[in-house]
Coordinates of all heavy atoms in Angstrom, one line a residue:
M1 N -4.8 44.4 71.7 CA -6.0 44.4 72.5 C -7.1 43.7 71.7 O -7.3 43.9 70.5 CB -6.4 45.8 72.8 CG -7.8 45.9 73.5 SD -8.5 47.5 73.6 CE -8.0 48.0 75.1
V2 N -7.9 42.9 72.3 CA -9.0 42.2 71.7 C -10.3 42.8 72.0 O -10.6 43.1 73.2 CB -9.0 40.7 72.1 CG1 -10.1 40.0 71.5 CG2 -7.7 40.0 71.7
R3 N -11.1 43.1 71.0 CA -12.4 43.8 71.3 C -13.5 42.8 71.6 O -14.5 43.1 72.1 CB -12.8 44.6 70.1 CG -11.9 45.8 70.0 CD -12.6 46.7 69.0 NE -11.6 47.4 68.2 CZ -11.9 48.4 67.4 NH1 -13.2 48.7 67.2 NH2 -11.0 48.9 66.6
S4 N -13.3 41.6 71.1 CA -14.4 40.6 71.2 C -14.0 39.4 72.2 O -12.9 38.9 72.0 CB -14.7 40.0 69.8 OG -15.5 38.9 69.9
S5 N -14.8 39.1 73.1 CA -14.5 38.0 74.0 C -14.5 36.7 73.2 O -13.8 35.8 73.5 CB -15.4 38.0 75.3 OG -16.7 37.7 74.8
T6 N -15.4 36.6 72.2 CA -15.5 35.4 71.4 C -14.2 35.2 70.7 O -13.6 34.1 70.6 CB -16.7 35.4 70.5 OG1 -17.9 35.5 71.3 CG2 -16.7 34.2 69.6
K7 N -13.7 36.3 70.1 CA -12.4 36.3 69.4 C -11.3 35.8 70.3 O -10.5 34.9 69.9 CB -12.1 37.6 68.8 CG -10.8 37.6 68.0 CD -10.5 39.0 67.5 CE -9.1 39.1 66.8 NZ -8.8 40.4 66.3
A8 N -11.2 36.4 71.5 CA -10.2 36.0 72.4 C -10.3 34.5 72.8 O -9.3 33.8 72.9 CB -10.2 36.9 73.6
E9 N -11.5 34.1 73.2 CA -11.7 32.7 73.6 C -11.4 31.7 72.4 O -10.9 30.7 72.7 CB -13.1 32.5 74.1 CG -13.5 33.2 75.4 CD -12.8 32.5 76.6 OE1 -12.5 31.3 76.5 OE2 -12.7 33.2 77.6
Y10 N -11.8 32.1 71.2 CA -11.5 31.2 70.1 C -10.0 31.1 69.8 O -9.6 30.1 69.5 CB -12.3 31.8 68.9 CG -12.6 30.7 67.9 CD1 -13.6 29.7 68.2 CD2 -11.8 30.5 66.7 CE1 -13.9 28.7 67.3 CE2 -12.1 29.4 65.9 CZ -13.1 28.6 66.1 OH -13.4 27.5 65.3
K11 N -9.3 32.2 70.0 CA -7.9 32.2 69.8 C -7.3 31.3 70.9 O -6.4 30.5 70.6 CB -7.3 33.6 69.9 CG -5.8 33.7 69.8 CD -5.3 33.3 68.4 CE -3.8 33.5 68.4 NZ -3.2 32.5 67.5
A12 N -7.7 31.4 72.1 CA -7.2 30.5 73.2 C -7.6 29.1 72.9 O -6.8 28.2 73.2 CB -7.8 31.0 74.5
L13 N -8.8 28.8 72.3 CA -9.2 27.5 71.9 C -8.2 26.9 70.9 O -7.8 25.8 71.0 CB -10.6 27.5 71.4 CG -11.5 26.3 71.4 CD1 -11.7 25.9 72.8 CD2 -12.8 26.6 70.7
A14 N -7.9 27.7 69.9 CA -7.0 27.2 68.8 C -5.6 27.0 69.4 O -4.9 26.0 69.1 CB -6.9 28.3 67.7
D15 N -5.1 27.9 70.3 CA -3.8 27.7 70.9 C -3.8 26.4 71.8 O -2.8 25.6 71.8 CB -3.4 28.9 71.8 CG -3.1 30.1 70.9 OD1 -2.9 30.0 69.7 OD2 -3.1 31.2 71.5
G16 N -4.9 26.2 72.5 CA -5.0 25.0 73.4 C -5.0 23.7 72.5 O -4.4 22.7 72.9
I17 N -5.7 23.7 71.4 CA -5.7 22.6 70.6 C -4.4 22.3 70.0 O -3.9 21.1 69.9 CB -6.8 22.8 69.4 CG1 -8.2 22.7 70.0 CG2 -6.6 21.7 68.3 CD1 -9.3 23.1 69.1
A18 N -3.6 23.3 69.6 CA -2.3 23.1 69.1 C -1.4 22.5 70.1 O -0.6 21.6 69.9 CB -1.7 24.5 68.6
E19 N -1.5 22.9 71.4 CA -0.7 22.3 72.5 C -1.1 20.9 72.7 O -0.3 20.0 72.9 CB -0.9 23.1 73.8 CG -0.3 24.5 73.7 CD 1.2 24.4 73.7 OE1 1.8 23.5 74.4 OE2 1.8 25.3 73.0
I20 N -2.4 20.6 72.7 CA -2.9 19.2 72.9 C -2.4 18.3 71.8 O -1.9 17.2 72.1 CB -4.5 19.2 73.0 CG1 -5.0 19.8 74.2 CG2 -5.0 17.8 72.8 CD1 -6.5 20.1 74.3
L21 N -2.5 18.7 70.6 CA -2.0 17.9 69.5 C -0.5 17.7 69.6 O 0.0 16.6 69.3 CB -2.3 18.6 68.1 CG -3.8 18.7 67.8 CD1 -4.0 19.4 66.5 CD2 -4.4 17.3 67.7
W22 N 0.3 18.7 70.1 CA 1.7 18.5 70.2 C 2.0 17.5 71.3 O 2.8 16.6 71.1 CB 2.4 19.8 70.6 CG 3.9 19.7 70.8 CD1 4.8 19.8 69.8 CD2 4.6 19.5 72.0 NE1 6.0 19.6 70.3 CE2 5.9 19.5 71.6 CE3 4.2 19.3 73.3 CZ2 6.9 19.3 72.6 CZ3 5.2 19.1 74.3 CH2 6.5 19.1 73.9
I23 N 1.3 17.6 72.4 CA 1.4 16.6 73.5 C 1.1 15.2 73.1 O 1.7 14.2 73.4 CB 0.7 17.0 74.8 CG1 1.3 18.3 75.4 CG2 0.6 15.9 75.8 CD1 0.5 19.0 76.5
R24 N 0.0 15.1 72.3 CA -0.5 13.8 71.9 C 0.6 13.2 70.9 O 0.9 12.0 71.0 CB -1.8 13.9 71.2 CG -2.9 14.1 72.2 CD -4.2 14.3 71.6 NE -4.7 13.1 70.9 CZ -5.8 13.0 70.2 NH1 -6.6 14.1 70.1 NH2 -6.2 11.9 69.7
A25 N 1.2 14.0 70.1 CA 2.2 13.5 69.2 C 3.5 13.1 70.0 O 4.1 12.0 69.6 CB 2.6 14.6 68.1
L26 N 3.8 13.8 71.0 CA 5.0 13.5 71.8 C 4.7 12.1 72.5 O 5.5 11.2 72.6 CB 5.2 14.6 72.9 CG 6.3 14.2 73.9 CD1 7.7 14.2 73.2 CD2 6.3 15.3 75.0
L27 N 3.5 12.0 73.1 CA 3.1 10.7 73.8 C 3.2 9.5 72.8 O 3.6 8.4 73.1 CB 1.8 10.8 74.4 CG 1.7 11.7 75.7 CD1 0.3 11.9 76.1 CD2 2.6 11.2 76.8
S28 N 2.7 9.8 71.6 CA 2.7 8.8 70.6 C 4.2 8.3 70.2 O 4.5 7.2 70.1 CB 2.0 9.2 69.3 OG 2.1 8.3 68.3
D29 N 5.1 9.3 70.1 CA 6.5 9.0 69.8 C 7.1 8.2 71.0 O 8.0 7.5 70.7 CB 7.2 10.3 69.6 CG 6.9 11.0 68.3 OD1 6.3 10.3 67.4 OD2 7.3 12.2 68.1
L30 N 6.6 8.4 72.2 CA 7.1 7.7 73.3 C 6.3 6.4 73.6 O 6.5 5.8 74.6 CB 7.0 8.6 74.6 CG 7.9 9.8 74.5 CD1 7.6 10.7 75.7 CD2 9.4 9.5 74.5
Y31 N 5.5 6.0 72.6 CA 4.7 4.8 72.6 C 3.7 4.7 73.8 O 3.4 3.7 74.3 CB 5.6 3.6 72.7 CG 6.6 3.5 71.5 CD1 7.9 3.8 71.6 CD2 6.1 3.2 70.3 CE1 8.8 3.8 70.6 CE2 6.9 3.1 69.2 CZ 8.3 3.5 69.3 OH 9.1 3.5 68.2
F32 N 3.2 5.9 74.1 CA 2.0 5.9 75.1 C 0.8 6.1 74.2 O 0.7 6.9 73.3 CB 2.2 7.1 76.0 CG 3.2 6.9 77.1 CD1 4.5 7.3 77.0 CD2 2.8 6.2 78.3 CE1 5.4 7.1 78.0 CE2 3.7 6.1 79.3 CZ 5.0 6.5 79.1
S33 N -0.3 5.4 74.6 CA -1.5 5.6 73.9 C -2.4 6.7 74.6 O -2.2 6.9 75.8 CB -2.3 4.3 73.8 OG -2.6 3.9 75.1
S34 N -3.2 7.3 73.8 CA -4.1 8.3 74.4 C -5.5 8.1 73.8 O -5.7 7.4 72.9 CB -3.6 9.8 74.0 OG -3.6 9.9 72.6
D35 N -6.4 8.8 74.4 CA -7.8 8.6 74.0 C -7.9 9.2 72.6 O -7.2 10.1 72.2 CB -8.7 9.5 74.9 CG -8.9 8.9 76.3 OD1 -8.7 7.6 76.4 OD2 -9.1 9.6 77.2
P36 N -8.8 8.6 71.8 CA -9.0 9.1 70.4 C -9.5 10.5 70.3 O -9.1 11.2 69.3 CB -10.0 8.1 69.8 CG -10.6 7.3 70.9 CD -9.7 7.5 72.1
M37 N -10.2 11.0 71.3 CA -10.7 12.4 71.3 C -10.4 13.0 72.6 O -10.7 12.4 73.7 CB -12.2 12.5 71.0 CG -12.6 13.9 70.9 SD -14.3 14.3 70.4 CE -15.3 12.8 70.5
T38 N -9.9 14.2 72.6 CA -9.7 15.0 73.8 C -10.8 16.0 73.9 O -11.1 16.7 72.9 CB -8.3 15.7 73.7 OG1 -7.3 14.7 73.5 CG2 -8.1 16.5 75.0
I39 N -11.4 16.2 75.1 CA -12.4 17.2 75.3 C -11.8 18.5 75.8 O -11.0 18.4 76.8 CB -13.5 16.7 76.3 CG1 -14.1 15.4 75.8 CG2 -14.5 17.8 76.6 CD1 -14.9 15.5 74.6
L40 N -12.1 19.6 75.2 CA -11.6 20.9 75.6 C -12.7 21.7 76.1 O -13.7 21.9 75.4 CB -10.9 21.6 74.4 CG -10.1 22.8 74.7 CD1 -8.9 22.5 75.7 CD2 -9.5 23.3 73.4
W41 N -12.7 22.2 77.3 CA -13.8 22.9 77.9 C -13.6 24.4 77.6 O -12.5 24.9 77.7 CB -13.8 22.7 79.4 CG -14.2 21.3 79.8 CD1 -13.2 20.3 80.1 CD2 -15.4 20.7 79.8 NE1 -13.9 19.1 80.3 CE2 -15.3 19.4 80.2 CE3 -16.7 21.2 79.7 CZ2 -16.3 18.5 80.3 CZ3 -17.8 20.3 79.8 CH2 -17.6 19.0 80.1
C42 N -14.7 25.1 77.3 CA -14.7 26.5 77.0 C -15.9 27.2 77.7 O -17.0 26.6 77.7 CB -14.8 26.7 75.5 SG -14.8 28.4 75.0
D43 N -15.7 28.3 78.2 CA -16.8 29.0 79.0 C -17.4 30.1 78.1 O -18.1 31.0 78.6 CB -16.3 29.6 80.3 CG -15.2 30.7 80.1 OD1 -14.8 30.9 79.0 OD2 -14.9 31.3 81.1
N44 N -17.2 30.1 76.8 CA -17.8 31.1 75.9 C -18.6 30.4 74.9 O -18.2 29.7 74.1 CB -16.6 31.9 75.2 CG -17.2 33.1 74.4 OD1 -17.7 32.8 73.3 ND2 -17.0 34.3 74.9
L45 N -19.9 30.7 75.0 CA -20.9 30.1 74.1 C -20.6 30.4 72.6 O -20.7 29.5 71.7 CB -22.3 30.5 74.4 CG -22.9 29.9 75.7 CD1 -24.3 30.5 76.0 CD2 -23.0 28.4 75.6
G46 N -20.2 31.6 72.3 CA -19.9 32.0 70.9 C -18.8 31.2 70.3 O -18.8 30.7 69.2
A47 N -17.7 31.0 71.1 CA -16.6 30.3 70.6 C -16.9 28.8 70.5 O -16.5 28.1 69.5 CB -15.4 30.4 71.6
T48 N -17.7 28.3 71.4 CA -18.1 26.9 71.4 C -19.0 26.7 70.1 O -18.8 25.7 69.4 CB -18.9 26.5 72.6 OG1 -18.1 26.8 73.8 CG2 -19.3 25.0 72.6
Y49 N -19.9 27.5 69.8 CA -20.8 27.4 68.7 C -20.0 27.5 67.4 O -20.3 26.7 66.4 CB -21.9 28.4 68.7 CG -22.9 28.2 69.8 CD1 -23.7 29.3 70.2 CD2 -23.2 27.0 70.3 CE1 -24.6 29.1 71.2 CE2 -24.1 26.8 71.3 CZ -24.8 27.9 71.8 OH -25.8 27.7 72.8
L50 N -19.0 28.4 67.3 CA -18.2 28.5 66.1 C -17.4 27.2 65.9 O -17.2 26.8 64.7 CB -17.2 29.6 66.3 CG -17.7 31.0 65.9 CD1 -16.6 32.0 66.2 CD2 -18.0 31.1 64.4
S51 N -17.0 26.5 66.9 CA -16.2 25.3 66.7 C -17.0 24.1 66.1 O -16.4 23.3 65.5 CB -15.6 24.9 68.0 OG -16.5 24.4 68.9
V52 N -18.3 24.1 66.3 CA -19.1 23.0 65.8 C -20.0 23.4 64.6 O -20.6 22.6 64.1 CB -19.9 22.4 66.9 CG1 -19.0 21.7 67.9 CG2 -20.8 23.3 67.5
N53 N -20.1 24.7 64.3 CA -21.0 25.2 63.3 C -20.3 25.0 61.9 O -19.2 25.5 61.7 CB -21.3 26.7 63.5 CG -22.4 27.2 62.7 OD1 -22.9 26.5 61.8 ND2 -22.9 28.4 63.0
L54 N -21.0 24.4 61.0 CA -20.5 24.2 59.7 C -20.6 25.4 58.8 O -19.9 25.4 57.7 CB -21.3 23.0 59.0 CG -21.1 21.7 59.7 CD1 -22.1 20.6 59.0 CD2 -19.7 21.2 59.7
I55 N -21.3 26.4 59.2 CA -21.5 27.6 58.3 C -20.5 28.7 58.9 O -20.5 29.0 60.0 CB -22.9 28.1 58.4 CG1 -23.9 27.0 57.8 CG2 -23.1 29.4 57.6 CD1 -25.3 27.3 58.0
F56 N -19.7 29.2 58.0 CA -18.8 30.2 58.4 C -19.5 31.6 58.4 O -20.1 32.0 57.4 CB -17.6 30.2 57.4 CG -16.5 31.2 57.7 CD1 -15.6 30.9 58.7 CD2 -16.4 32.4 57.1 CE1 -14.6 31.8 59.1 CE2 -15.4 33.3 57.4 CZ -14.5 33.0 58.4
H57 N -19.4 32.2 59.5 CA -20.1 33.5 59.6 C -19.2 34.7 59.1 O -18.0 34.7 59.4 CB -20.4 33.8 61.1 CG -21.4 32.8 61.6 ND1 -22.7 32.8 61.4 CD2 -21.2 31.7 62.4 CE1 -23.3 31.8 62.0 NE2 -22.4 31.1 62.6
A58 N -19.8 35.6 58.3 CA -19.0 36.7 57.7 C -18.4 37.6 58.8 O -17.4 38.2 58.5 CB -20.0 37.5 56.8
R59 N -19.1 37.7 59.9 CA -18.6 38.6 60.9 C -17.4 38.1 61.7 O -16.8 38.7 62.6 CB -19.7 38.9 61.9 CG -20.8 39.7 61.3 CD -21.8 40.2 62.3 NE -22.0 39.3 63.5 CZ -23.1 39.3 64.2 NH1 -24.1 40.1 63.9 NH2 -23.1 38.6 65.3
T60 N -16.9 36.8 61.3 CA -15.8 36.2 62.0 C -14.6 36.1 61.2 O -13.7 35.3 61.4 CB -16.2 34.8 62.5 OG1 -16.6 34.0 61.4 CG2 -17.3 34.8 63.5
K61 N -14.5 37.0 60.2 CA -13.4 36.9 59.2 C -12.0 37.1 59.9 O -11.0 36.7 59.5 CB -13.5 37.9 58.1 CG -13.5 39.4 58.5 CD -13.7 40.2 57.3 CE -13.7 41.7 57.7 NZ -13.9 42.6 56.6
H62 N -12.0 37.8 61.1 CA -10.8 38.1 61.8 C -10.2 36.8 62.5 O -9.1 36.8 62.9 CB -10.9 39.2 62.8 CG -12.1 39.0 63.7 ND1 -13.4 39.3 63.4 CD2 -12.2 38.4 65.0 CE1 -14.2 39.0 64.3 NE2 -13.5 38.5 65.3
V63 N -11.0 35.7 62.6 CA -10.5 34.5 63.1 C -10.5 33.4 62.1 O -10.6 32.2 62.4 CB -11.4 34.1 64.4 CG1 -11.2 35.0 65.5 CG2 -12.8 33.9 64.0
E64 N -10.4 33.8 60.8 CA -10.5 32.8 59.8 C -9.5 31.6 59.8 O -9.9 30.5 59.7 CB -10.3 33.5 58.4 CG -10.6 32.6 57.2 CD -10.7 33.4 56.0 OE1 -11.1 34.6 56.0 OE2 -10.3 32.8 54.9
I65 N -8.3 31.9 60.1 CA -7.3 30.8 60.1 C -7.5 29.9 61.3 O -7.5 28.7 61.2 CB -5.8 31.4 60.2 CG1 -5.5 32.1 58.8 CG2 -4.8 30.3 60.5 CD1 -4.3 32.9 58.9
D66 N -7.7 30.5 62.5 CA -8.1 29.7 63.7 C -9.4 28.9 63.5 O -9.5 27.8 63.9 CB -8.2 30.6 64.9 CG -6.8 31.1 65.4 OD1 -5.8 30.5 65.0 OD2 -6.8 32.2 66.0
Y67 N -10.3 29.5 62.8 CA -11.6 28.9 62.6 C -11.4 27.6 61.8 O -11.9 26.5 62.2 CB -12.5 29.8 61.8 CG -13.8 29.1 61.4 CD1 -14.9 29.0 62.3 CD2 -14.0 28.5 60.1 CE1 -16.1 28.4 61.9 CE2 -15.2 27.9 59.8 CZ -16.2 27.8 60.7 OH -17.4 27.2 60.4
H68 N -10.6 27.6 60.7 CA -10.4 26.4 59.9 C -9.6 25.4 60.7 O -9.9 24.2 60.5 CB -9.8 26.8 58.6 CG -10.7 27.6 57.7 ND1 -11.8 27.0 57.1 CD2 -10.6 28.8 57.2 CE1 -12.4 27.9 56.4 NE2 -11.7 29.0 56.4
F69 N -8.6 25.8 61.4 CA -7.8 24.9 62.2 C -8.7 24.1 63.3 O -8.7 22.9 63.3 CB -6.7 25.7 62.9 CG -5.9 24.8 63.9 CD1 -5.0 23.9 63.4 CD2 -6.0 25.0 65.2 CE1 -4.3 23.1 64.2 CE2 -5.2 24.2 66.1 CZ -4.4 23.3 65.6
V70 N -9.5 24.9 64.0 CA -10.3 24.3 65.0 C -11.4 23.4 64.4 O -11.6 22.3 64.8 CB -11.0 25.4 65.9 CG1 -12.0 24.8 66.9 CG2 -9.9 26.1 66.7
R71 N -12.1 23.9 63.4 CA -13.2 23.2 62.7 C -12.7 21.9 62.2 O -13.3 20.8 62.2 CB -13.8 24.0 61.6 CG -14.9 24.9 62.0 CD -16.1 24.1 62.5 NE -16.6 23.1 61.6 CZ -17.0 21.9 62.0 NH1 -17.0 21.5 63.2 NH2 -17.4 21.0 61.1
D72 N -11.5 21.9 61.6 CA -10.9 20.7 61.0 C -10.6 19.6 62.1 O -11.0 18.4 61.9 CB -9.6 21.0 60.3 CG -8.9 19.8 59.6 OD1 -9.7 19.1 58.9 OD2 -7.7 19.6 59.7
R73 N -10.1 20.0 63.2 CA -9.9 19.1 64.3 C -11.1 18.5 64.9 O -11.2 17.4 65.3 CB -9.0 19.7 65.4 CG -7.6 20.2 64.8 CD -6.9 19.1 64.2 NE -5.6 19.6 63.6 CZ -4.8 18.8 63.0 NH1 -5.0 17.6 62.8 NH2 -3.7 19.4 62.5
V74 N -12.1 19.4 65.0 CA -13.4 19.0 65.6 C -14.1 18.0 64.6 O -14.7 17.0 65.0 CB -14.3 20.2 65.9 CG1 -15.7 19.7 66.3 CG2 -13.7 21.0 67.1
A75 N -14.1 18.3 63.3 CA -14.7 17.5 62.3 C -14.0 16.1 62.2 O -14.7 15.1 62.0 CB -14.6 18.2 60.9
K76 N -12.7 16.1 62.4 CA -12.0 14.8 62.4 C -12.2 14.0 63.8 O -11.6 12.9 63.9 CB -10.5 15.0 62.2 CG -10.2 15.5 60.8 CD -8.7 15.6 60.7 CE -8.3 16.1 59.3 NZ -6.8 16.3 59.2
K77 N -12.9 14.6 64.7 CA -13.2 14.0 66.0 C -11.9 13.8 66.8 O -11.8 12.9 67.6 CB -14.0 12.8 65.9 CG -15.4 13.0 65.3 CD -16.3 11.9 65.6 CE -17.6 12.1 64.9 NZ -18.4 13.3 65.1
E78 N -10.9 14.6 66.6 CA -9.7 14.6 67.4 C -9.9 15.4 68.7 O -9.3 15.1 69.7 CB -8.5 15.2 66.6 CG -8.1 14.4 65.4 CD -6.9 15.0 64.6 OE1 -6.5 16.1 65.1 OE2 -6.5 14.5 63.6
I79 N -10.7 16.4 68.6 CA -11.0 17.3 69.7 C -12.5 17.5 69.8 O -13.2 17.6 68.8 CB -10.3 18.7 69.5 CG1 -8.8 18.6 69.3 CG2 -10.7 19.7 70.6 CD1 -8.0 18.2 70.5
G80 N -13.0 17.5 71.0 CA -14.4 17.9 71.3 C -14.4 19.1 72.1 O -13.5 19.3 73.0
V81 N -15.3 20.1 71.8 CA -15.4 21.3 72.5 C -16.7 21.3 73.3 O -17.7 21.1 72.7 CB -15.3 22.5 71.6 CG1 -15.4 23.8 72.4 CG2 -13.9 22.5 70.9
S82 N -16.7 21.5 74.6 CA -17.8 21.5 75.4 C -17.9 22.8 76.2 O -16.9 23.4 76.5 CB -17.9 20.4 76.4 OG -17.9 19.2 75.7
V83 N -19.1 23.2 76.5 CA -19.3 24.5 77.3 C -19.2 24.1 78.7 O -19.7 23.1 79.2 CB -20.7 25.1 77.0 CG1 -20.9 26.3 77.9 CG2 -20.8 25.4 75.5
H84 N -18.5 24.9 79.5 CA -18.4 24.8 80.9 C -18.6 26.2 81.5 O -17.8 27.1 81.4 CB -17.0 24.3 81.3 CG -16.8 24.1 82.8 ND1 -16.3 25.0 83.6 CD2 -17.2 23.1 83.6 CE1 -16.3 24.6 84.9 NE2 -16.9 23.5 84.9
L85 N -19.8 26.3 82.1 CA -20.1 27.6 82.7 C -19.9 27.5 84.2 O -20.3 26.5 84.8 CB -21.5 28.0 82.4 CG -21.8 28.2 80.9 CD1 -23.3 28.4 80.6 CD2 -21.0 29.3 80.3
L86 N -19.4 28.5 84.8 CA -19.2 28.6 86.2 C -20.6 28.8 87.0 O -21.5 29.4 86.4 CB -18.3 29.7 86.6 CG -16.9 29.6 86.0 CD1 -16.0 30.8 86.3 CD2 -16.2 28.4 86.6
P87 N -20.7 28.3 88.2 CA -21.9 28.5 88.9 C -22.2 30.0 89.1 O -21.3 30.8 89.3 CB -21.6 27.9 90.3 CG -20.5 26.9 90.0 CD -19.7 27.5 88.9
G88 N -23.4 30.4 88.9 CA -23.7 31.8 89.0 C -23.6 32.6 87.7 O -23.7 33.8 87.7
S89 N -23.2 31.9 86.6 CA -23.1 32.6 85.3 C -24.4 33.1 84.9 O -25.5 32.6 85.2 CB -22.5 31.7 84.3 OG -21.2 31.2 84.6
T90 N -24.4 34.2 84.1 CA -25.6 34.8 83.6 C -26.2 34.0 82.4 O -27.2 34.5 81.9 CB -25.4 36.2 83.2 OG1 -24.4 36.3 82.2 CG2 -25.0 37.0 84.5
W91 N -25.6 33.0 81.9 CA -26.1 32.3 80.7 C -27.2 31.4 81.2 O -27.7 30.6 81.1 CB -25.0 31.4 80.1 CG -24.0 32.2 79.5 CD1 -22.7 32.5 80.1 CD2 -23.9 33.0 78.3 NE1 -22.0 33.3 79.3 CE2 -22.8 33.6 78.2 CE3 -24.9 33.1 77.3 CZ2 -22.4 34.4 77.1 CZ3 -24.5 33.8 76.2 CH2 -23.3 34.5 76.1

């Protein structure tokens, strides 16, 4: 059970990035070209901010491995993370 929606969304973000990188590697092996950067949409502001924030927050130690994985891919500009809020959201 996950207590934090940011933790759950960030874990999903890391899992999604791993899948995207696998698909891009497969396409490359099959000699298909892909865009240099893939945009991944996320509806959680906390997870989105963590993916682009250079400062590691002490309260996020439970997502440390995923944090470094996602931050590395965003810093290399392989993945872009954007906020996508649904109409009627409270944000």
Side-chain angles (χ1 to χ4, degrees):
M1 175 194 263
V2 177
R3 291 194 215 187
S4 165
S5 63
T6 297
K7 179 181 176 181
E9 291 285 341
Y10 206 76
K11 177 67 176 147
L13 206 61
D15 292 344
I17 289 172
E19 291 291 324
I20 289 168
L21 294 175
W22 182 84
I23 290 170
R24 288 175 68 183
L26 176 65
L27 290 174
S28 176
D29 288 346
L30 297 173
Y31 301 105
F32 284 94
S33 62
S34 63
D35 291 332
M37 182 176 16
T38 303
I39 303 296
L40 191 61
W41 295 95
C42 180
D43 65 352
N44 184 284
L45 288 173
T48 304
Y49 291 155
L50 275 175
S51 70
V52 296
N53 192 351
L54 297 175
I55 300 171
F56 184 77
H57 298 283
R59 295 187 331 203
T60 60
K61 65 182 180 183
H62 52 276
V63 292
E64 188 171 329
I65 293 171
D66 289 335
Y67 175 82
H68 291 294
F69 175 71
V70 172
R71 272 296 307 137
D72 183 48
R73 300 305 176 179
V74 171
K76 289 180 179 178
K77 299 201 185 303
E78 294 178 1
I79 301 290
V81 178
S82 296
V83 176
H84 181 263
L85 299 177
L86 297 174
S89 296
T90 59
W91 296 98

